Amino acid sequence: MKSQVPQPEAADAGQTDAATAIAGLPPGLINRLRNVGSRHHYVPRFLLNRFAIMRHGHHFICEYHLADGKINSLSTADVAVVKDYNTLKTQSKEEAGLIELFFSLFEEQAAPIVNALVAGGEPSLMEMGVLANFVAAQQVRTPRGRGYARFMMEEARRMYMINQVSSGHEQARDHLRETMGQEPSDEEVAQWQADTVAILEHDVRVVANRDHEVVGQTIALEKLAEAVFTKEVVVLHTPPAKAFR
């Protein structure tokens, strides 16, 4: 069984960063932050509603189960939603909803632009920037995107640890001197470094904690949005579908 080494915590720094972010928010957003709910959609409802059927004033979407072939009709309120998906557990109650609020603002800015596109409009350059941010956010906030970000964080941390051991000759010598009670030879230091690197490569699993995973969704967001913004966008319109009965 592989041993698990939790990624070092940075709770104090995270709390400082969150407090700094909150201090810079307008009063209206601070009030909204205090009231962020616990049901977090990783696909916005305004997008889900475009694939839904209206029934009794509510939007319903079909869910297909691969295992048994059954099809269920669900409200879009209950699709692509996870309780406390973006809640920061190590922050205060007031700060815990910061990431969810962040994604909600992207949704609010993008929704009218998407609606205008569907109606045949053309976005301005500024609106294309908003859409680029929204598309990038959608890429990183799904379970698959989030899992990829977590994997990259964990591997980056592993490589950092390997590099620290490989290049830390004096630190390795100090460690061996303390544990051996005598001055280690150069060969002993080199052997300890090689053995430790092998352990880090094959027997240690670096695990990002949950808050690192939540915040990790935003790490590459700016560069991803920039990449989306520089691409040519083609909007295709199809004839309206006939209403289901």
Side-chain angles (χ1 to χ4, degrees), residues 3-8 145-163 200-201 204-214 216-217 219:
S3 59
Q4 294 188 3
V5 178
Q7 188 170 355
R146 184 157 144 173
Y148 177 75
R150 182 181 64 249
F151 170 78
M152 293 302 294
M153 282 191 294
E154 292 171 350
E155 287 304 298
R157 184 62 182 176
R158 182 203 301 275
M159 294 307 298
Y160 172 79
M161 294 167 65
I162 290 173
N163 182 66
L200 289 172
E201 289 179 335
V204 171
R205 181 185 175 198
V206 180
V207 181
N209 71 25
R210 190 184 175 284
D211 276 11
H212 287 152
E213 179 181 324
V214 172
Q217 297 172 103
I219 291 176

Side-chain angles (χ1 to χ4, degrees), residues 69-110:
K70 292 183 179 180
I71 299 176
N72 296 324
S73 181
L74 300 174
S75 167
T76 54
D78 300 319
V79 175
V81 61
V82 178
K83 182 176 174 59
D84 288 323
Y85 185 60
N86 291 317
T87 300
L88 295 170
K89 299 295 187 179
T90 62
Q91 304 301 321
S92 68
K93 184 177 180 180
E94 183 179 62
E95 300 160 346
L98 191 61
I99 301 300
E100 177 62 17
L101 175 64
F102 179 73
F103 285 127
S104 296
L105 293 175
F106 276 167
E107 292 180 21
E108 291 179 8
Q109 293 170 350

Side-chain angles (χ1 to χ4, degrees), residues 227-242:
V228 174
F229 184 73
T230 57
K231 302 299 181 184
E232 182 178 359
V233 177
V234 177
V235 180
L236 301 178
H237 291 271
T238 63
K242 293 182 180 180

Side-chain angles (χ1 to χ4, degrees), residues 110-183:
I113 302 174
V114 172
N115 292 337
L117 282 174
V118 173
E122 294 187 10
S124 66
L125 188 63
M126 183 175 294
E127 289 174 334
M128 282 302 301
V130 173
L131 287 177
N133 285 333
F134 176 69
V135 171
Q138 282 307 116
Q139 174 68 23
V140 301
R141 71 191 290 196
T142 63
R144 177 176 293 181
R146 184 157 144 173
Y148 177 75
R150 182 181 64 249
F151 170 78
M152 293 302 294
M153 282 191 294
E154 292 171 350
E155 287 304 298
R157 184 62 182 176
R158 182 203 301 275
M159 294 307 298
Y160 172 79
M161 294 167 65
I162 290 173
N163 182 66
Q164 289 291 98
V165 172
S166 299
S167 60
H169 306 292
E170 292 307 313
Q171 292 87 342
R173 185 178 298 277
D174 292 342
H175 171 74
L176 287 176
R177 185 186 300 116
E178 181 178 345
T179 57
M180 294 171 60
Q182 63 184 35
E183 187 67 25

Side-chain angles (χ1 to χ4, degrees), residues 33-53:
L33 182 58
R34 291 170 179 155
N35 294 290
V36 170
S38 62
R39 288 170 53 83
H40 302 164
H41 281 80
Y42 54 83
V43 178
R45 286 186 68 183
F46 84 87
L47 288 183
L48 293 171
N49 289 345
R50 291 200 165 276
F51 296 88
I53 301 170

